[in-house]
Amino acid sequence: MSRFFRNQGWVAGLLALLIFLFVITKLIQPGYGSGDFGSLARAVLPYAFAVAAQTVVVIAGGIDLTVAAMMALTSVTAASMMNGASEEYALFVVPFVLAMGLVLGALNGVLIVVTRVPDIVVTLATLFVLQGAALLVLGAPGGAAAEWLKASVIGTVPVPGLPDWADAWVPKALVLLVVCLFIIWIPLRRSRLGLSIYAIGSNELAAFRSGVPVARTRIIAYALSGLFAAMGGLSLTISTGIGAPIPGPYLLASVAAVVLGGVALGGGKGGLLGPIIAVFVLRLVRTDLTLLAIDPNVTAIIEGLIMVAVVMFGAFITIRGRPVGATP
Amino acid sequence: MTDIATMPQPVSFGRRLKRFMADRPLIPLIILLIILVVILQILRPGIVNERWLANTAKFAIPLAILAGCQTMTMLTGGIDLSVGTVATMSAFIMATQIVNQDPTVAFLLAMLPAVLIGFVNGIGVGVFRVHPLIMTLGTSLIGTGFLQVYQRTVIASGAKIPDFLNWLGTGLTYGFPNALLLFVPVAVLIVFMLNRTGFGRLLYAVGDNERAARLSGVRYWQVITALYVLSSLLAGITGLLYIGLIKAPSLSLAEPLVLPSVAAAVIGGTSIFGGRGGYMGTIIGALILTVLTTLLTILQMPEGGRRILFGFIVLFVTAAYLRIVEDR
């Protein structure tokens, strides 16, 4: 019971922090309105998917360094496939790219299981491979995205029964994010598979002895991570209209948001809601810095410092929380 | 006939080969290097001459020093991904500060960020126990941010490459590259330190069994902090050498060397899990990668393909070493 309170308390605290930041934003920029919220949601989109990808693997007791490179690869693949193609062709591109993420993610898992090399080394090696593949697909930023896809993240969703002013606060990007994440996460969390993912992250040996198929569960966790990363890559292509082969700072951001979201880096704890709120917190801090007219390069430094501080704090908590005598 | 019956079970050839490779990792590496050079000579008859040798050495030296940073950090079970940013920072600061500063002052200014980043890395890894990969990635992001801000402030003053660095980076004396004047002492120092000093032994001890090292009274955080500062210092010096070789200060000068530096250390037989390896293997690993790069350039393999290959090399070699260690 107390654990339940502690976990939910963390998410509640984050939510309070988020609301506090919104208040600060409103104070800095009294004109901050629904339009700005919409652009915040659009900016959050790729980060949120990157964080979801990292969260699944971290809960399963691993870490996935390929998140950013996977996003770059799927993004350039989508952008170069849609370049000069018809609008309808994109209907084929989207499932293809998602399947590609799923398969490449599963490949990460298979390599970890088969070679028995630690996940951090395997994903470092596949990070090189995926970066190289992204450069082969598209040497420089370019490509295109279908118009209907671009329209899918701009504007708001009309909700029946809601007045116009409230409607304006429901940006399409946010709805897309929530639908995509929870259509996968909620059934997963309730299923035997979801329980297995938590089990292998919590104690692999105990899970194995209780009959959890550890290898298969691990592969599936990495496959889901790849799928989420592919969604992130697609959202990058959709929101920018092009694909860029050099990955953005999504890897560190995903780890920082996972830690800030209350998911223990050791595995087996936490949920998806915390990290997603953490992403909003991190992005909103950036918005505030920009509104304060701080040089964007300085903003990047401050953001990096915050992320490193969060990761350091998370690691510190992990050592403190470790039971006495446990192996590191 | 009876002799055979009384002889102990014959050891299979594969096992013997494995044992041999594990005991003397340098010999198969040197054979591999010679094979690569022979292939190069067959593809482009006459390419292997005095000038080619000097050129190969010139490009292998910066890589070998950076791979030395990876070797030392990998011996403790870590990795230093900030070397690229550190080298770029010191090179860029040197090139811009030399314009209106005394060379000594410029040199000290160039080394300052290196020491700072190394110190922060050391504290993060040693005290807060952040995974080295995440920590060094974070500090390299912050460093890049600082470099971008710094670049704005010196845009007016311009940059120039000091004659001395030019001489060191590209000059030849009696057919030998001048860079050897820097490299030989550095290499001797690293080899001596790892094999003959207490600090070197501590690195192996911490990497082999951290808990045992701690219980025997090793101050873990002090060792790690000293190690990362040393690694950053070496990276900074490499940056100065590299700017003399490339002669074009840019904000991504040494970034392309990061992946190969990890690959060189891994090929050289240093275990990424810590406790095993040495610098001699790494030097040959750097030579192998430089020759391989020449070979791939002749075969017109694009940058992306090269990265993919390096990724597979890291994965394959790590998995192979794991098998060899498990066998014994």
Side-chain angles (χ1 to χ4, degrees):
Chain A
M1 193 66 192
S2 72
R3 167 176 288 181
F4 174 82
F5 261 112
R6 210 164 58 215
N7 285 348
Q8 297 308 311
W10 187 266
V11 174
L14 265 180
L15 207 56
L17 178 63
L18 184 63
I19 292 167
F20 174 70
L21 277 171
F22 269 119
V23 172
I24 298 253
T25 314
K26 193 74 184 166
L27 285 179
I28 297 172
Q29 181 85 359
Y32 190 85
S34 54
D36 301 292
F37 182 66
S39 59
L40 174 71
R42 267 199 303 284
V44 158
L45 208 54
Y47 283 93
F49 284 124
V51 169
Q54 193 67 266
T55 305
V56 178
V57 171
V58 169
I59 288 178
I63 193 158
D64 188 352
L65 303 180
T66 60
V67 168
M70 185 83 85
M71 284 169 71
L73 177 59
T74 46
S75 168
V76 289
T77 309
S80 57
M81 279 174 85
M82 286 192 273
N83 196 10
S86 66
E87 291 280 297
E88 293 75 35
Y89 187 62
L91 283 174
F92 163 74
V93 171
V94 172
F96 174 82
V97 168
L98 292 181
M100 188 172 102
L102 195 72
V103 169
L104 289 176
L107 203 63
N108 264 340
V110 169
L111 284 174
I112 290 166
V113 168
V114 170
T115 62
R116 279 176 287 145
V117 175
D119 40 27
I120 204 153
V121 182
V122 171
T123 50
L124 182 70
T126 42
L127 162 78
F128 297 173
V129 174
L130 293 181
Q131 272 185 2
L135 277 174
L136 285 186
V137 173
L138 215 56
E147 290 303 324
W148 65 269
L149 272 176
K150 281 195 232 171
S152 69
V153 293
I154 293 170
T156 58
V157 179
V159 184
L162 265 186
D164 276 351
W165 65 267
D167 236 16
W169 287 89
V170 188
K172 273 187 193 168
L174 186 65
V175 174
L176 186 74
L177 173 68
V178 170
V179 168
C180 284
L181 289 182
F182 287 88
I183 219 168
I184 296 172
W185 182 252
I186 300 281
L188 180 72
R189 186 82 198 251
R190 308 238 169 244
S191 68
R192 176 184 284 261
L193 175 66
L195 197 61
S196 304
I197 289 180
Y198 275 86
I200 67 169
S202 177
N203 188 334
E204 192 182 323
L205 191 62
F208 176 73
R209 287 186 178 154
S210 336
V212 174
V214 173
R216 203 176 72 202
T217 310
R218 176 154 295 144
I219 293 171
I220 292 174
Y222 277 94
L224 284 174
S225 165
L227 178 65
F228 280 133
M231 288 179 180
L234 270 178
S235 70
L236 268 179
T237 304
I238 292 171
S239 52
T240 58
I242 56 167
I246 304 295
Y250 297 105
L251 173 60
L252 188 67
S254 73
V255 176
V258 161
V259 172
L260 190 60
V263 178
L265 277 181
K269 276 192 200 138
L272 189 56
L273 189 62
I276 297 296
I277 297 177
V279 175
F280 273 92
V281 168
L282 289 174
R283 287 291 91 195
L284 204 54
V285 168
R286 188 189 182 107
T287 310
D288 284 353
L289 291 173
T290 315
L291 287 179
L292 286 170
I294 291 174
D295 178 348
N297 288 320
V298 178
T299 309
I301 298 173
I302 297 175
E303 231 183 353
L305 286 172
I306 292 175
M307 288 195 281
V308 168
V310 165
V311 174
M312 278 167 110
F313 173 75
F316 191 63
I317 291 287
T318 316
I319 330 172
R320 279 300 185 77
R322 191 176 292 148
V324 183
T327 47
Chain B
M1 279 297 190
T2 48
D3 276 346
I4 294 170
T6 53
M7 257 171 67
Q9 195 74 30
V11 186
S12 79
F13 178 72
R15 253 190 98 77
R16 270 196 353 236
L17 191 70
K18 264 189 186 171
R19 283 283 281 281
F20 177 74
M21 302 245 300
D23 290 342
R24 296 185 195 288
L26 283 187
I27 292 173
L29 281 178
I30 293 173
I31 294 173
L32 179 61
L33 179 62
I34 293 172
I35 291 174
L36 282 175
V37 174
V38 169
I39 293 176
L40 198 63
Q41 174 72 11
I42 291 170
L43 283 177
R44 283 272 190 287
I47 188 177
V48 181
N49 56 24
E50 224 172 79
R51 235 189 69 214
W52 178 83
L53 282 178
N55 243 331
T56 304
K58 263 193 285 189
F59 278 93
I61 285 170
L63 180 61
I65 305 182
L66 285 191
C69 302
Q70 307 296 358
T71 307
M72 287 189 293
T73 45
M74 271 159 63
L75 283 177
T76 65
I79 194 167
D80 191 347
L81 291 186
S82 65
V83 287
T85 305
V86 170
T88 310
M89 280 177 98
S90 25
F92 194 82
I93 293 175
M94 185 74 181
T96 46
Q97 287 297 325
I98 198 81
V99 180
N100 23 356
Q101 293 275 13
D102 187 62
T104 323
V105 178
F107 175 75
L108 289 178
L109 281 175
M111 284 297 129
L112 189 67
V115 174
L116 271 179
I117 287 186
F119 185 71
V120 174
N121 280 340
I123 295 294
V125 175
V127 178
F128 289 90
R129 316 303 307 272
V130 181
H131 194 284
L133 220 152
I134 304 289
M135 190 65 213
T136 52
L137 192 69
T139 48
S140 77
L141 269 187
I142 297 173
T144 309
F146 273 112
L147 196 56
Q148 273 163 354
V149 173
Y150 171 77
Q151 186 203 22
R152 294 266 206 81
T153 64
V154 292
I155 247 170
S157 60
K160 74 166 195 176
I161 317 293
D163 294 335
F164 173 70
L165 291 182
N166 223 333
W167 175 84
L168 191 65
T170 36
L172 292 176
T173 310
Y174 303 119
F176 287 99
N178 295 332
L180 281 173
L181 283 178
L182 176 71
F183 179 67
V184 172
V186 166
V188 169
L189 197 76
I190 294 179
V191 171
F192 179 78
M193 190 193 75
L194 287 181
N195 295 337
R196 291 277 179 273
T197 67
F199 183 66
R201 267 170 236 272
L202 285 184
L203 294 187
Y204 281 94
V206 163
D208 201 33
N209 190 336
E210 192 198 311
R211 211 170 143 71
R214 260 170 200 279
L215 291 177
S216 357
V218 175
R219 299 277 168 88
Y220 179 75
W221 75 272
Q222 294 178 354
V223 176
I224 293 293
T225 309
L227 166 68
Y228 280 91
V229 170
L230 180 65
S231 167
S232 266
L233 265 179
L234 279 179
I237 292 172
T238 313
L240 300 187
L241 180 66
Y242 202 55
I243 188 92
L245 181 61
I246 300 293
K247 298 200 190 80
S250 77
L251 292 190
S252 57
L253 177 77
E255 249 6 278
L257 287 181
V258 178
L259 303 189
S261 76
V262 176
V266 171
I267 291 173
T270 301
S271 163
I272 209 161
F273 317 115
R276 298 178 78 248
Y279 191 48
M280 289 310 287
T282 303
I283 297 175
I284 299 175
L287 279 171
I288 288 177
L289 281 185
T290 312
V291 175
L292 192 63
T293 308
T294 319
L295 199 61
L296 296 180
T297 313
I298 285 179
L299 295 175
Q300 294 181 334
M301 187 181 262
E303 166 69 15
R306 236 177 278 168
R307 286 197 193 191
I308 293 180
L309 194 69
F310 285 174
F312 277 123
I313 288 175
V314 169
L315 187 61
F316 176 78
V317 175
T318 321
Y321 271 102
L322 207 63
R323 293 289 171 283
I324 291 172
V325 177
E326 276 175 355
D327 243 35
R328 299 215 277 186

